[in-house]
Amino acid sequence: MLLIFEKMRTNNYFKFLIFFSLIFSFSFDQVLAEYVGRRYVDCNLSDCDPKYPNTSTEYYKSNGNALLLQLPGGHGSFQIFLSSRPISDLDNKVDVVFLINPYPMPNPNGDPPLRYSPDYVARIKSVIEYYKKLTNKKIWLSGHSAGTPGIAGFLNRDKNNYKIIDGAVFLSSNYYTRVKVDKINVPILILHHEWDRCRSNKYSGAQILNNKFLKINSSKTKFVTFSGGKAFGDPCDSPGGYHFFVGQNDKVANEIINFINENNK
């Protein structure tokens, strides 16, 4: 199994990655239809940092008519096979693309400021445009944990950005996710475990996010609360906690698939 590591800053984080790789030590082909491969997408927009001319992506193709562009949590600059457990159960129903940022985006005190940066938003936008042309499929922007502020940053940067995606999925939302636009018209799905104990991913933050979208979104906003399942290890840095929907990932995947199917126009 391929692991792409950023430089580790703490031993705990390194242990997390090793633990994650041991849990998911099976082939991508078992969970997604076809691994197309790594594609490097040019970042030619004016906000792109010229020090990093392209963005690495991992592409998994399905028989479905939609593509889920996943913004990984953590520092967002490495790929660990699957960035969040629910994605592993999508199973040939939607394409999945993982966006791997060329540099780490730390989240001091839980708040990841670089997820709102012009450069990161430009990378998201360039990847969306690339895969839209490549696949001609509906593009859904998704994020897990620290990846969710990236969705907010994308929406905030330009009031018309929501028009180039077909929907968005927030998984275990970061508490500091700040949506500042006044109006959008795009389907929004928010999934959160009520017992998520990750310090920067409180359930109350997902409630606040949902209330915000209910006010500004003229399309459908759906908030799904999960309970039960299993938890072990560190609530943030281990894939064994409610933060990763352990014991619920098949249900989470079904929610994503059904919402996409219901709202793909």
Side-chain angles (χ1 to χ4, degrees), residues 30-78:
Q30 292 177 284
V31 290
L32 295 169
E34 177 187 355
Y35 174 54
V36 177
R38 183 174 303 172
R39 291 175 179 265
Y40 294 92
V41 179
D42 291 338
C43 195
N44 295 323
L45 302 177
S46 60
D47 285 331
C48 295
D49 187 336
K51 290 187 298 184
Y52 308 100
N54 55 52
T55 306
S56 176
T57 64
E58 299 281 347
Y59 178 31
Y60 300 86
K61 187 178 180 180
S62 76
N63 293 326
N65 66 351
L67 183 150
L68 194 76
L69 175 57
Q70 182 74 8
L71 308 180
H75 288 188
S77 59
F78 56 89

Side-chain angles (χ1 to χ4, degrees), residues 5 7 35 45 57 79 82 106 119 142 163 181 204 209 236 240-241 264:
F5 289 92
K7 185 176 180 181
Y35 174 54
L45 302 177
T57 64
Q79 178 59 46
L82 294 177
D119 175 70
S142 175
K163 295 179 181 180
V181 289
S204 59
L209 188 64
C236 294
N264 262 349

Side-chain angles (χ1 to χ4, degrees), residues 68 86 89-90 93-94 140 168-171 188-192 220 222-226 245 248-263:
L68 194 76
D89 273 25
L90 292 178
K93 296 181 175 65
V94 297
W140 286 67
V169 180
F170 292 77
L171 296 160
I188 299 290
L189 176 62
I190 303 169
L191 306 179
H192 210 102
K220 185 173 184 179
K222 183 177 182 180
F223 180 32
V224 181
T225 299
F226 283 82
F245 302 99
Q248 304 278 323
N249 42 313
D250 57 335
K251 297 178 181 178
V252 172
N254 285 335
E255 287 286 352
I256 295 172
I257 293 165
N258 291 337
F259 191 77
I260 289 176
N261 289 339
E262 292 167 2
N263 293 279

Side-chain angles (χ1 to χ4, degrees), residues 28-230:
F28 257 120
D29 293 337
Q30 292 177 284
V31 290
L32 295 169
E34 177 187 355
Y35 174 54
V36 177
R38 183 174 303 172
R39 291 175 179 265
Y40 294 92
V41 179
D42 291 338
C43 195
N44 295 323
L45 302 177
S46 60
D47 285 331
C48 295
D49 187 336
K51 290 187 298 184
Y52 308 100
N54 55 52
T55 306
S56 176
T57 64
E58 299 281 347
Y59 178 31
Y60 300 86
K61 187 178 180 180
S62 76
N63 293 326
N65 66 351
L67 183 150
L68 194 76
L69 175 57
Q70 182 74 8
L71 308 180
H75 288 188
S77 59
F78 56 89
Q79 178 59 46
I80 316 175
F81 176 55
L82 294 177
S83 68
S84 64
R85 291 184 73 149
I87 306 302
S88 67
D89 273 25
L90 292 178
D91 189 29
N92 198 26
K93 296 181 175 65
V94 297
D95 290 17
V96 177
V97 171
F98 296 97
L99 189 154
I100 306 167
N101 205 53
Y103 52 85
M105 296 175 289
N107 48 353
N109 302 315
D111 188 4
L114 290 179
R115 299 281 187 164
Y116 299 92
S117 71
D119 175 70
Y120 188 57
V121 173
R123 293 182 187 281
I124 295 172
K125 192 169 184 178
S126 62
V127 171
I128 290 171
E129 293 174 345
Y130 174 84
Y131 279 98
K132 185 174 289 190
K133 292 177 181 177
L134 179 70
T135 68
N136 198 32
K137 294 188 177 186
K138 306 289 187 179
I139 306 295
W140 286 67
L141 186 58
S142 175
H144 176 258
S145 192
T148 56
I151 307 176
F154 171 79
L155 296 174
N156 293 346
R157 185 66 182 167
D158 186 317
K159 66 179 182 180
N160 292 314
N161 272 354
Y162 76 86
K163 295 179 181 180
I164 70 170
I165 60 173
D166 295 277
V169 180
F170 292 77
L171 296 160
S172 303
S173 302
N174 181 277
Y175 183 82
Y176 301 97
T177 301
R178 301 181 294 275
V179 177
K180 296 183 177 181
V181 289
D182 297 324
K183 182 179 180 181
I184 61 171
N185 181 21
V186 67
I188 299 290
L189 176 62
I190 303 169
L191 306 179
H192 210 102
H193 200 294
E194 64 178 341
W195 300 336
D196 191 335
R197 296 293 183 262
C198 187
R199 57 191 174 276
S200 57
N201 301 81
K202 301 174 184 178
Y203 179 73
S204 59
Q207 292 176 307
I208 294 170
L209 188 64
N210 178 58
N211 290 335
K212 173 69 174 181
F213 280 123
L214 288 174
K215 292 178 181 178
I216 68 170
N217 189 15
S218 54
S219 185
K220 185 173 184 179
T221 298
K222 183 177 182 180
F223 180 32
V224 181
T225 299
F226 283 82
S227 59
K230 302 175 183 179

